[in-house]
């Protein structure tokens, strides 16, 4: 099998990139020291996380000059995410740390006044109307395809600036900002998006680089009107995974977080078993899920380092599912079975190496927020959110929140932030606040949802997974009041969760809130609707969604 070399420097989830390369018929060889770079014919530089952290690792490891020498030699080079950013002279993310300086331009942070930052999700990499690539497919990129991005900093696109230097450029638009999604010149190809996480469209692009197909005519030139740019509406499939009574890891689903059967022969007893995690994740990927989330709902009882079955589930899933994978449960400082203390960052690294792209933190985020306010809103630098986001970037950290409605007759009856609700309480109360919980909703805390999201955003969380205990398993639709309240309070993306029962609920949450994504579980697991049916419904209602591509 032909070979491609990858640089090994702890760049988040590299396992998925290896799986994608191997699926395309190539063998990966690792570069583990600077002298190895000269041995590479095709070199890929992956990168996930903070610009300064990654570039400092390149520099301290002695890799900068060997990589630049490889590029200047004319041998094929591909940069992914931070691997693209490294080619430029610097970034606002850390002005003190220089890039390789091969392209005289700097990255800037997206404007968060009118949109969520980080930019997370599926967007274009479009060469329409661009010099050097008009009417062409640049390394397999297609104007109607969507690709997975996750970043806060980007290279602003200035028409003609890069092209005049001989670069071919593909761009994407986020709000009113157009930025570089991919660039190519001679032996160099680099993408801001993650091809290994971009489904068939991404595999096609990666395959074109591996085979040396830089430019080719588009077989079908779509009408300009059919090329819809911008971030799509993400539809996420969530799998709650736990050990059943027989000791097997299964996908389950609760009704207001109770996963025991309530009817039939197993009523009041056995854990509801809806299928095998790896098989179901692949099914949802094939149906068009934009992301797959695993929530290991038994991790609070077991040391995560001993939770080898969950790690194996990630490894197996990432070999066939080429969209982002999130894992939640047990991402915290812990003590291993031999008594050694393991920091949350090391636990997260273990999950990233097993195939996760993001980690989800739940109860520990509540504890960290309580400590944040007790310290007068001062960051400790020691919380799981802070340490993981510092190493891997805030886009790698999701905070999962489990709030519960508490009704009051008047706002002054509680010190917490209230909203006037259209869904009155049991005693006809017109107001409510959302109380945060821990331990799977079993423990109430004196913290409201806005206090929590404000704190975790300050700590460096990149995304909020917003559940609602009152709506969980009800199939009655998302809690729109909760979602709008949280979206108004933070600038990071929010994933709406809990209550989806049919495709119309997804349309409702996307049209009546500014949520960045919406998550479904039981309606998919029970086979009532497929992910594809939800996305087809949204498309028919003129909402922009990523379409399924089946062939390279």
């Amino acid at each position: 099998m032909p070979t491609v070399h990858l640089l090994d420097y702890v760049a988040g989830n590299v396992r998925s990139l290896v799986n994608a390369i191997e699926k395309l018929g190539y063998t990966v060889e690792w570069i583990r020291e600077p002298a190895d770079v000269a041995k590479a014919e095709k070199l890929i530089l992956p990168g996930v996380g903070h610009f300064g952290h990654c570039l400092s690792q390149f520099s301290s490891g002695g890799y900068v000059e060997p990589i630049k020498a490889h590029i200047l030699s004319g041998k094929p080079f591909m940069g992914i995410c931070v691997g693209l950013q490294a080619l430029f002279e610097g970034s606002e993310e850390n002005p003190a740390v220089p890039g390789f300086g091969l392209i005289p331009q700097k990255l800037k942070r997206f404007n968060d006044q009118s949109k969520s930052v980080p930019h997370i999700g599926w967007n274009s990499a479009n060469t329409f109307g661009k010099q050097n690539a008009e009417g062409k497919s640049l390394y397999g990129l297609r104007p109607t395809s969507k690709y997975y991005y996750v970043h806060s900093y980007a290279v602003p696109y200035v028409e003609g600036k890069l092209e005049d230097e001989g670069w071919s450029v593909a761009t994407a638009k986020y709000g009113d900002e157009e930025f570089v999604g991919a660039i190519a010149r001679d032996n160099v190809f680099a993408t801001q998006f993650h091809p290994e996480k971009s489904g068939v469209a991404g595999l096609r692009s990666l395959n074109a680089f591996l085979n040396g197909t830089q430019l080719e005519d588009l077989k079908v030139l779509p009408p300009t009107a059919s090329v819809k740019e911008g971030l799509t509406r993400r539809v996420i499939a969530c799998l709650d995974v736990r050990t059943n009574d027989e000791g097997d890891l299964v996908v389950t689903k609760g009704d207001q977080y109770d996963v025991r059967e309530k009817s039939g022969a197993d009523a009041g007893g056995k854990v509801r078993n809806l299928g095998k995690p790896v098989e179901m994740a692949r099914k949802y990927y094939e149906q068009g899920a934009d992301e797959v989330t695993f929530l290991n709902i038994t991790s609070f009882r077991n040391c995560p380092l001993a939770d080898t079955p969950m790690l194996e589930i990630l490894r197996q899933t990432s070999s066939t599912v080429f969209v982002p994978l999130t894992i939640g449960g047990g991402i915290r400082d812990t003590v291993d079975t031999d008594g050694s203390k393991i920091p949350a960052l090391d636990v997260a690294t273990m999950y990233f190496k097993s195939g996760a792209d993001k980690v989800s933190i739940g109860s520990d985020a509540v504890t960290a927020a309580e400590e944040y306010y007790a310290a007068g809103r001062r960051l400790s630098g020691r919380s799981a959110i802070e340490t993981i986001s510092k190493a891997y970037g805030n886009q790698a950290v999701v905070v999962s929140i489990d709030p519960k409605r508490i009704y009051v007759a008047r706002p002054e009856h509680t010190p917490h932030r209230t909203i006037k609700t259209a869904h009155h309480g049991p005693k006809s109360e017109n107001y409510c606040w959302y109380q945060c919980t821990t331990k799977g909703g079993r423990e109430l805390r004196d913290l409201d949802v806005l206090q929590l999201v404000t704190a975790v955003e300050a700590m460096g969380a990149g995304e909020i997974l917003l559940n609602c205990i009152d709506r969980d398993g009800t199939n009655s639709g998302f809690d729109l009041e909760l979602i709008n309240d949280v979206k108004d309070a933070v600038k990071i993306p929010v994933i709406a969760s809990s209550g989806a029962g049919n495709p119309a609920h997804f349309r409702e949450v996307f049209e009546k809130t500014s949520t960045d994504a919406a998550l479904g579980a039981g309606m998919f697991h029970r086979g009532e609707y497929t992910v594809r049916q939800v996305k087809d419904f949204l498309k028919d209602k003129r909402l922009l969604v990523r379409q399924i591509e089946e062939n390279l």
Side-chain angles (χ1 to χ4, degrees), residues 7 55 82 94 99 108 129 141 230 281 284 291 294 310 332 360 382-383 405 412 464 486:
L7 185 65
L55 269 295
V82 178
N94 193 331
K108 295 185 177 181
L141 301 178
Y284 296 143
E291 297 182 25
F294 291 110
M310 199 65 218
R332 61 177 185 265
S360 177
R382 299 187 301 272
S383 70
R405 275 189 175 223
E412 56 266 28
I464 300 294
V486 170

Side-chain angles (χ1 to χ4, degrees), residues 143-217:
T144 54
S145 293
K146 296 292 183 179
Y147 305 88
Y148 182 75
Y149 293 84
V150 53
H151 58 124
S152 299
Y153 296 81
V155 179
Y157 177 68
V158 179
E159 186 175 359
K161 184 172 183 178
L162 289 167
E163 291 91 338
D164 288 346
E165 298 295 324
W167 294 96
S168 297
V169 184
T171 64
K173 290 182 179 178
Y174 187 34
D176 59 357
E177 297 183 83
E178 187 172 12
F179 65 93
V180 174
I183 54 171
R185 186 178 71 180
D186 300 328
N187 57 308
V188 175
F189 176 48
T191 65
Q192 180 61 68
F193 63 84
H194 287 269
E196 76 281 10
K197 290 281 128 185
S198 298
V200 170
L203 293 176
R204 182 187 302 121
S205 181
L206 184 59
N207 190 55
F209 168 75
L210 294 173
N211 293 331
T213 309
Q214 180 177 2
L215 284 172
E216 59 182 356
D217 292 332

Side-chain angles (χ1 to χ4, degrees), residues 9-26:
Y9 71 103
V10 192
N13 178 16
V14 181
R15 174 177 287 273
S16 291
L17 179 57
V18 173
N19 289 337
I21 290 169
E22 291 178 346
K23 180 179 177 63
L24 295 170
Y26 279 72

Side-chain angles (χ1 to χ4, degrees), residues 236-243 249-253 257 259 277 292-300 307 310 313-314 325-331 351 358-362 398-402 465-467 472 497-498 519-521 525:
I236 300 173
C238 181
L239 295 83
D240 290 343
V241 180
R242 67 158 290 166
T243 305
L249 278 179
V250 300
V251 175
T252 189
K253 184 69 186 79
Y257 291 27
V259 299
V292 174
T293 294
F294 291 110
L295 296 181
N296 184 8
I297 61 176
T298 54
S299 271
F300 55 83
D307 196 10
M310 199 65 218
I313 283 174
L314 280 171
L325 301 176
T326 300
I327 176 69
I331 315 297
Y351 282 118
K358 297 183 273 189
V359 293
S360 177
I361 299 172
V398 180
V399 170
S400 180
I401 299 176
D402 299 321
L465 173 55
L466 186 58
N467 307 296
D472 183 64
S497 176
S498 302
L519 178 151
H525 304 337

Side-chain angles (χ1 to χ4, degrees), residues 252-264:
T252 189
K253 184 69 186 79
D255 297 323
Q256 296 184 317
Y257 291 27
D258 181 0
V259 299
R260 298 280 172 178
E261 293 286 4
K262 294 183 178 179
S263 62

Side-chain angles (χ1 to χ4, degrees), residues 103-159:
I103 306 174
Q105 199 169 336
K106 293 185 178 181
L107 289 96
K108 295 185 177 181
R109 193 176 191 272
F110 284 116
N111 184 341
D112 62 10
Q113 295 305 303
S114 61
K115 56 186 179 292
S116 299
V117 177
H119 169 240
I120 298 179
W122 298 77
N123 209 324
S124 304
N126 192 4
T127 59
F128 255 35
K130 304 295 188 296
Q131 295 173 225
N132 307 332
E134 176 69 24
K136 302 284 187 180
S137 173
L138 179 66
Y139 283 104
L141 301 178
R142 295 181 181 176
T144 54
S145 293
K146 296 292 183 179
Y147 305 88
Y148 182 75
Y149 293 84
V150 53
H151 58 124
S152 299
Y153 296 81
V155 179
Y157 177 68
V158 179
E159 186 175 359

